[in-house]
Amino acid sequence: MSQRHEQLQATWSDPPGIWGFLTTVNPRRIAARYVLTAIALLILSGLLALDMRVQLSQPQMHRMTAQLYNESFALHGSTMLFLVSVPVMEAMAMWLVPLMLGQRTMAFPRLNAFSYWLYLGGVMMLWVPHTLGVTPDLGWFEYPPLSGPSYSPGHRADIWAQMITFTEVAALAVSVNVAVTILKMRPPGMTLAKMPAFLWAMLVSAVMTIIALPAVMLVTSMLIADRLVSTHFFSPAGGGDVLLFQHLFWFFGHPEVYIIFLPGVGFVSAIVETFSRRRLFGHVPVVLSMLAIAILAFGLWVHHMFAVGLPKVGNALYTAASMAIALPAGIQIFCFIATIALGKPSYRTPLLWIIAFILTFVIGGLSGIMTASAPLDLQLTDTYFVVAHLHYVLIGGAMFPLFGAFTYWYPKATGRLMSDGWGIVSCALIVGGFNIAFFPMHILGLMGMPRRIYTYGPEMGWGDLNLVATGGTVIASVGASIFVANALISYWRGKRSGADPWSGSTLEWATRSPPSNYAFADVPVVQSAAPMWDNPLGPFPVMRGLSSRCREALVTSLVDANPQCRQPSPGPSIWPLVAALVTSALFVGSIYTPWALVWGAVPLALVLTAWFWPTRPRRKEAQA
Amino acid sequence: MTDRPVYVQGDLSSLPESKDGPASLAWWGNAGFMLIEGTAFLLAGGSYLYLMMAGPDWPPKGFAPPQLVWGIVFTIGLLLSEIPNRWLIKKASARDERAVRIGIIIMTLAAFLLFIPRALEFTALGLRWDEHAYGSVLWMLMILHTVHLITDWGDTLVLALWLHTHEVGDRQFADVEDNANYWRFVELSWLPLYALIYWAPRLA
């Protein structure tokens, strides 16, 4: 290895052992932790789902009590929405964005570390009390008055509300980081027009997160205030309004769907391009559709509230807006299909996941158009039709692309390929099992089966379809087990991949697999949105001049990505972990006493001061 | 880069180590957090209007609107603080170390002095947070803004301590500018809140 490589390795390495584990600011190391934590929670949520499906497989089942069932779906939904879907997408962005930009790190490396520790705090906020027998039991959106002080004594609702604060602060920190990194750290030549669709997806999703998440933090803080200090935001007797909760919650909740879906679109764009062996068809329409979705997504929230009795004009407007968003989503799907149709597709496992995405997401989109119609929604709301729809959209629209992304970038992260044969088997079982599990739920919903019931009588006639659904869940679970086993075994025994096993189009394939601590010795210069394909046989254009001896990051201009400065980048630090611990104490304390906010702020201020205290020489006059 | 040969097309070593304003990462980070907090202010203001329109009377019967005097004193004081703030930004971009050290002390004191009318504003709201949803949302707006006031004062104080004990480099001048820009955010975000808190109940 060259002296330069060794110098760069030393500059960008973490301290050894546990101290390095606690102080690292390497975005890939932190993102890997995020992904592994989210996958562990995905498995736990899946087990909860399997348990619930067994309970519903036949009428008159009493193996679960109503309370346990309530806790199970509340824990499943809250975990999946707040602790898996958003964080795992943020983590994928944290792992991939700097590599796709040819950068050694991100704009604010310590913010990533703070974000992970706080996310872990959110995970513990929900799951540690669960192991102690205190579990939220009102679903993933805990509407007042049911979640208010009168109907939910104890701390179940507080735990749910404060878990959200943890995870949303964590998500906001990553979003600001991702957005600034993409806007200000693109490699020379990567103008906004030449930015890969994946990066656009991550940028749009990050900006949407920044605008949407304050709503849920605000509304859950208001709920905690109602419960802790007797404010009346949601108590009609005190002049409050329960629907205010729903408005604020869904102002966040609907964009959240697209915050999860758009990174999926990013994965699909990258995978479709590489495996179709041609540049993405309709790069500009795909990007414009992302922007259109981002804008429309903030005008749709009322379609979650058609049944609460809003004025008819409002319902009509939101019906129209909800149907309108199918247009940009449809444009994207057509562009993906056109890319495959016009290219020379290689049907490896990642592309199979994308085909599964297209088929499943289209079905979810169609049932979405049905529920977007206010009169039909009045019949379907709170039935299994909605359960089917939301799983088709979220699993089909986000999880299948995520599984595809996992198989696509696995060799980059580990240096080894997952087995293609077992990949196809697991994909077939998961996709097949998913459809067997969830398609019958459309019919069950139309038959009138309400969601969130722990059992039903034989006279309802729902038993057969529920048994089919449970069978599908078992099949999907077998597929998921094979997927996990494939990933684990391939980590040690998989075929070595080299740097670029798929002949990928974007810059992450230009570096080693797995990437070294510094990722890129030189700054790549790009000419198009598929820079690896520009001159595949010729030498790669680069710039030099970033230091090997200290951590530096290249900052470029907003639109044209012209180099502007070599900004020093902070190294490992314990302060993000300490700050997260102090913040966690403040959050946990504040569900017991409002004074935790006051007294918790003092150590937090001290820690943040220590974190941001610049290390420069003392002033000469002061020393004298 | 791995196996592919490279050719060096340019040299970045002559680039500066930091730049001010939108060319710096910190400026964008600051803007990102202002967007987050601005959205929270907007939604909190929206909640105020929602409850105002949902209720039959605003303020509800039996309660008077907040007294005007301390709100006016605070608002005028906050707007006047923009004079030294603007001067500080100018001196920071001119890299005038001495003036920046003076300016940061002035801003620390200015923000601290504003705590006095702010504290008195709380006493003049006319009701507690637990008496009515009107009081709840009023206190929420006041607390949200006061938290920002205290946060930026704390940040300014730490910056002042640092600037008076260390050698000042380009990045610290940029920090002063970012902090001053954040103060502008605290100023500007107050104006619509002021209108809601003091004038919406009078005009409703």
Side-chain angles (χ1 to χ4, degrees):
Chain A
M1 284 292 164
S2 70
Q3 195 184 347
R4 187 155 170 256
H5 166 76
E6 282 178 14
Q7 180 85 61
L8 279 163
Q9 271 295 80
T11 301
W12 288 90
S13 64
D14 293 322
I18 184 76
W19 187 248
F21 179 84
L22 297 175
T23 59
T24 184
V25 292
N26 180 336
R28 281 171 295 287
R29 205 171 171 191
I30 298 167
R33 265 173 218 179
Y34 244 121
V35 171
L36 292 175
T37 313
I39 288 174
L41 290 161
L42 179 65
I43 293 169
L44 286 174
S45 281
L47 291 172
L48 283 169
L50 192 59
D51 199 18
M52 287 186 284
R53 280 312 321 164
V54 172
Q55 167 68 14
L56 293 175
S57 60
Q58 286 293 289
Q60 298 285 30
M61 293 273 271
H62 291 284
R63 50 183 288 283
M64 287 171 101
T65 62
Q67 176 62 25
L68 180 60
Y69 191 85
N70 288 350
E71 292 178 12
S72 298
F73 72 69
L75 196 58
H76 169 82
S78 301
T79 301
M80 284 305 298
L81 266 300
F82 295 110
L83 301 176
V84 176
S85 304
V86 174
V88 81
M89 296 302 181
E90 305 261 359
M92 294 297 280
M94 196 190 291
W95 208 91
L96 286 163
V97 162
L99 291 181
M100 231 179 255
L101 294 172
Q103 284 280 1
R104 296 173 180 175
T105 186
M106 290 178 73
F108 310 111
R110 290 181 181 176
L111 203 56
N112 281 339
F114 175 70
S115 166
Y116 175 75
W117 296 122
L118 212 53
Y119 161 68
L120 191 62
V123 172
M124 290 166 72
M125 185 82 203
L126 188 64
W127 281 83
V128 170
H130 171 64
T131 61
L132 302 173
V134 185
T135 310
D137 54 358
L138 303 175
W140 79 276
F141 48 86
E142 304 215 336
Y143 285 168
L146 198 54
S147 57
S150 311
Y151 297 97
S152 289
H155 284 296
R156 291 178 199 269
D158 297 318
I159 285 165
W160 174 83
Q162 207 61 308
M163 173 273 292
I164 288 177
T165 313
F166 270 100
T167 56
E168 306 309 271
V169 174
L172 285 168
V174 181
S175 299
V176 171
N177 212 349
V178 167
V180 177
T181 303
I182 293 175
L183 289 173
K184 290 298 296 175
M185 292 175 69
R186 296 196 307 283
M190 192 185 279
T191 61
L192 285 179
K194 292 177 185 167
M195 199 162 92
F198 175 92
L199 291 171
W200 272 108
M202 291 305 183
L203 175 64
V204 174
S205 180
V207 174
M208 286 182 75
T209 306
I210 288 171
I211 297 172
L213 263 55
V216 74
M217 286 180 62
L218 187 71
V219 76
T220 49
S221 301
M222 288 157 84
L223 179 64
I224 292 174
D226 269 12
R227 298 172 54 82
L228 187 67
V229 293
S230 305
T231 52
H232 296 287
F233 293 111
F234 311 122
S235 96
D241 190 318
V242 287
L243 288 189
L244 175 60
F245 182 97
Q246 295 192 26
H247 280 294
L248 286 170
F249 187 87
W250 290 113
F251 181 84
F252 141 82
H254 197 77
E256 155 121 327
V257 174
Y258 295 95
I259 287 167
I260 297 167
F261 168 68
L262 281 179
V265 171
F267 302 149
V268 175
S269 308
I271 294 170
V272 157
E273 185 167 82
T274 291
F275 288 93
S276 300
R277 316 300 319 146
R278 63 153 287 150
R279 287 165 199 259
L280 185 65
F281 178 89
H283 180 267
V284 173
V286 167
V287 171
L288 289 179
S289 298
M290 291 178 197
L291 296 171
I293 285 175
I295 294 164
L296 285 169
F298 283 96
L300 302 185
W301 81 89
V302 171
H303 77 205
H304 294 268
M305 299 167 61
F306 281 151
V308 301
L310 295 171
K312 278 186 183 166
V313 178
N315 281 356
L317 182 76
Y318 284 97
T319 291
S322 306
M323 291 190 176
I325 206 163
L327 292 175
I331 288 170
Q332 289 173 343
I333 298 287
F334 281 122
C335 288
F336 298 143
I337 293 173
T339 309
I340 297 172
L342 299 173
K344 295 176 191 152
S346 160
Y347 293 99
R348 307 287 295 272
T349 315
L351 189 61
L352 296 182
W353 279 112
I354 299 319
I355 292 167
F357 149 77
I358 291 172
L359 295 173
T360 317
F361 184 69
V362 165
I363 296 174
L366 289 173
S367 62
I369 289 175
M370 292 167 75
T371 49
S373 163
L376 190 54
D377 183 75
L378 275 179
Q379 302 302 314
L380 299 174
T381 196
D382 276 337
T383 70
Y384 258 82
F385 191 91
V386 174
V387 178
H389 164 68
L390 76 93
H391 283 90
Y392 265 85
V393 174
L394 289 177
I395 295 186
M399 288 296 128
F400 288 175
L402 178 73
F403 298 154
F406 196 83
T407 52
Y408 178 52
W409 280 294
Y410 184 91
K412 180 51 59 187
T414 64
R416 291 177 188 268
L417 286 156
M418 283 171 75
S419 153
D420 228 15
W422 285 111
I424 292 167
V425 170
S426 60
C427 179
L429 288 174
I430 293 174
V431 176
F434 168 83
N435 278 286
I436 295 170
F438 286 94
F439 197 84
M441 292 185 198
H442 292 108
I443 303 163
L444 284 167
L446 291 170
M447 289 167 75
M449 180 172 170
R451 66 194 287 199
R452 298 179 172 177
I453 51 163
Y454 84 107
T455 192
Y456 50 89
E459 69 283 1
M460 305 307 293
W462 302 333
D464 292 345
L465 284 174
N466 269 301
L467 187 61
V468 171
T470 303
T473 312
V474 172
I475 294 170
S477 303
V478 172
S481 306
I482 293 172
F483 190 105
V484 171
N486 189 3
L488 286 174
I489 293 168
S490 302
Y491 186 78
W492 288 281
R493 296 198 183 167
K495 196 176 142 197
R496 291 202 183 273
S497 64
D500 187 10
W502 315 115
S503 301
S505 59
T506 38
L507 283 178
E508 74 277 22
W509 301 109
T511 186
R512 288 182 182 81
S513 304
S516 53
N517 289 331
Y518 58 88
F520 289 88
D522 303 314
V523 175
V525 179
V526 305
Q527 286 142 29
S528 77
M532 293 294 284
W533 292 352
D534 283 334
N535 182 16
L537 300 177
F540 204 97
V542 297
M543 286 194 181
R544 286 206 171 137
L546 286 188
S547 175
S548 308
R549 294 175 187 281
C550 59
R551 295 183 179 221
E552 278 184 351
L554 177 65
V555 179
T556 54
S557 61
L558 181 67
V559 177
D560 295 327
N562 293 322
Q564 286 182 314
C565 62
R566 296 174 294 120
Q567 188 154 320
S569 182
S573 165
I574 194 66
W575 292 115
L577 172 59
V578 179
L581 285 171
V582 174
T583 309
S584 301
L586 186 153
F587 285 166
V588 174
S590 67
I591 67 174
Y592 295 99
T593 165
W595 290 105
L597 294 173
V598 178
W599 297 119
V602 176
L604 184 59
L606 292 174
V607 170
L608 291 179
T609 303
W611 177 350
F612 291 105
W613 194 255
T615 47
R616 282 180 63 85
R618 299 280 294 182
R619 186 184 174 186
K620 290 193 178 68
E621 300 92 309
Q623 284 173 329
Chain B
M1 315 303 268
T2 51
D3 305 331
R4 274 178 74 171
V6 297
Y7 78 92
V8 180
Q9 191 177 302
D11 182 33
L12 303 164
S13 57
S14 58
L15 289 176
E17 275 200 10
S18 84
K19 281 210 157 192
D20 294 350
S24 88
L25 295 179
W27 188 92
W28 284 90
N30 210 16
F33 284 100
M34 281 191 241
L35 186 58
I36 291 170
E37 289 150 31
T39 311
F41 277 127
L42 203 67
L43 292 164
S47 304
Y48 181 99
L49 290 172
Y50 181 90
L51 289 171
M52 183 171 108
M53 285 188 268
D57 300 299
W58 201 262
K61 281 201 174 78
F63 300 105
Q67 294 166 29
L68 285 174
V69 58
W70 293 115
I72 291 173
V73 172
F74 176 84
T75 309
I76 291 172
L78 190 65
L79 292 176
L80 286 176
S81 73
E82 178 55 18
I83 297 169
N85 197 44
R86 183 180 285 255
W87 183 76
L88 182 58
I89 292 175
K90 220 169 104 186
K91 293 298 169 189
S93 57
R95 303 288 187 266
D96 184 338
E97 198 168 320
R98 190 167 163 272
V100 163
R101 284 192 174 122
I102 295 168
I104 200 88
I105 293 281
I106 294 172
M107 283 309 297
T108 311
L109 289 174
F112 188 75
L113 283 177
L114 284 167
F115 290 164
I116 299 167
R118 171 49 52 92
L120 293 166
E121 276 187 277
F122 276 100
T123 66
L125 289 179
L127 79 168
R128 279 163 55 97
W129 60 88
D130 55 0
E131 289 180 67
H132 192 275
Y134 164 69
S136 309
V137 76
L138 204 58
W139 277 78
M140 178 173 78
L141 295 183
M142 289 293 293
I143 288 172
L144 263 182
H145 190 261
T146 306
V147 166
H148 283 76
L149 197 68
I150 295 171
T151 309
D152 201 40
W153 172 75
D155 195 30
T156 312
L157 176 70
V158 170
L159 210 48
L161 286 173
W162 197 91
L163 291 170
H164 280 268
T165 51
H166 290 73
E167 279 182 17
V168 184
D170 281 348
R171 289 192 72 187
Q172 285 69 48
F173 284 117
D175 285 348
V176 170
E177 281 186 54
D178 289 337
N179 186 55
N181 281 331
Y182 193 84
W183 184 254
R184 281 185 173 163
F185 170 71
V186 174
E187 291 168 353
L188 290 174
S189 60
W190 171 246
L191 298 177
L193 296 183
Y194 171 72
L196 279 182
I197 291 167
Y198 289 96
W199 293 101
R202 289 180 162 81
L203 301 175

